[in-house]
Amino acid sequence: MSIVPEAQNVILVHGGFVDGSGWKGVYDVLRADGYRVTVVQNPTLSLAGDVAATRMALDAQDGPTVLAGHSYGGPVIPEAGNHDDVSALVYIAAFAPDKDESVNTLIADPAPGAPVPPILPPREGFLFLDRKKFGASFAGDLPDEEARFLADSQVPWGLEALGGTVTRPAWRTRPSFYLVATDDRMIPPPVQRTMAERAGATVTETGGSHAVYVSKPAEVAALIRRAAGAATA
C-alpha cells in the first residue's frame, strides 16, 4: 500500500442557482486550519464547461487535493476528479451520478410524497427557482434576509448542465465522503443516502437544509478535513 500525503489543498465547487460566495464560511474555517482553498466560479451553463473550469483550478494545485461539491457540484467533481492531484471527493448534499447518469436521470422518478423543488419552466434554456418559495425549499435554516438574498441573486442554471452525463466517475478510484442534510427539501435525504451508499462513501449526517454548506460551515469543513487525511492504496 502506498500512502498519499495528507492533502493541503481544497477545491470547492458550487451547485445550481447559486455562485461560489456561499462557500465563504467553509473557506474561512479551512483557511484558519492552514489549508490552501480555491473556490471555483463554475458558470453552470454545461457540465463540460463546469468540469473544464474545475480542471483549470486543479492544474493550479501543487499536490494532493480534496475536491468538494455541493448539489449540482456533485456531477462536476467525479468527472473532474480523475485528475492526478485529486486524493478524495466530498459530496455536500449533492448528486452523485454513476457512469452515463446526469442530474436529469437522477431526478426522473421522484419517490411518492417527496418534496418537489419549485423550479420554474425553462426560460431560453435556463432554470430558476420560484423566488417566493426559494427560502423554504433551498435555505430553510438560514435567516430570512440571507435566504432572500440567495433567491434574488440566483444564477441561471443551464439545461445542458442538467443533461450532461458523467463518463468516468472518480469515486470508483478515490475515497469519497458524503454529508447528508436531513432537512433537505431539494434532494430528499433518502436519495442522498442511496447515492452515497452506491458510491461507497463515508457518510455523515446533520440537521440542515439544502444550504447546509452555508448554515453549518464548521461541520462541512470537518468532513473535508477528514477527507484530507484519507489514505489510498
Side-chain angles (χ1 to χ4, degrees):
M1 173 181 288
S2 61
I3 302 299
V4 176
E6 180 173 349
Q8 295 300 314
N9 305 311
V10 176
I11 292 179
L12 305 172
V13 182
H14 67 79
F17 304 119
V18 294
D19 66 13
S21 62
W23 287 114
K24 181 65 164 58
V26 175
Y27 172 93
D28 288 343
V29 173
L30 292 173
R31 285 282 297 170
D33 287 339
Y35 291 94
R36 179 189 179 195
V37 186
T38 301
V39 179
V40 180
Q41 290 287 15
N42 43 305
T44 67
L45 301 179
S46 70
L47 180 61
D50 297 328
V51 169
T54 303
R55 284 178 175 156
M56 287 177 63
L58 283 164
D59 287 341
Q61 306 307 307
D62 59 359
T65 301
V66 173
L67 192 53
H70 168 254
S71 191
Y72 161 72
V76 178
I77 64 172
E79 190 73 358
N82 294 294
H83 192 285
D84 289 343
D85 283 342
V86 174
S87 60
L89 305 175
V90 180
Y91 294 85
I92 307 299
F95 293 104
D98 201 347
K99 184 179 184 297
D100 297 329
E101 290 183 340
S102 65
V103 171
N104 277 342
T105 62
L106 291 173
I107 65 175
D109 297 305
V116 178
I119 299 175
L120 298 172
R123 290 165 45 195
E124 300 182 14
F126 296 98
L127 296 176
F128 293 87
L129 289 179
D130 185 328
R131 290 186 181 188
K132 294 180 180 179
K133 299 177 180 178
F134 188 103
S137 293
F138 194 104
D141 59 348
L142 293 182
D144 289 345
E145 293 280 330
E146 195 167 355
R148 187 175 301 116
F149 176 78
L150 289 176
D152 290 340
S153 62
Q154 287 185 65
V155 177
W157 192 8
L159 293 177
E160 288 187 35
L162 277 78
T165 57
V166 169
T167 60
R168 189 160 61 98
W171 51 257
R172 292 188 176 277
T173 57
R174 268 70 169 178
S176 296
F177 297 78
Y178 198 110
L179 181 65
V180 174
T182 60
D183 303 314
D184 197 327
R185 298 187 62 81
M186 293 290 292
I187 306 177
V191 175
Q192 294 183 38
R193 295 183 187 107
T194 297
M195 291 187 293
E197 181 180 2
R198 182 178 64 172
T202 299
V203 178
T204 299
E205 299 201 5
T206 186
S209 72
H210 195 57
V212 67
Y213 71 114
V214 181
S215 62
K216 294 196 171 179
E219 292 189 33
V220 173
L223 186 60
I224 291 172
R225 282 197 301 270
R226 186 175 178 186
T232 59

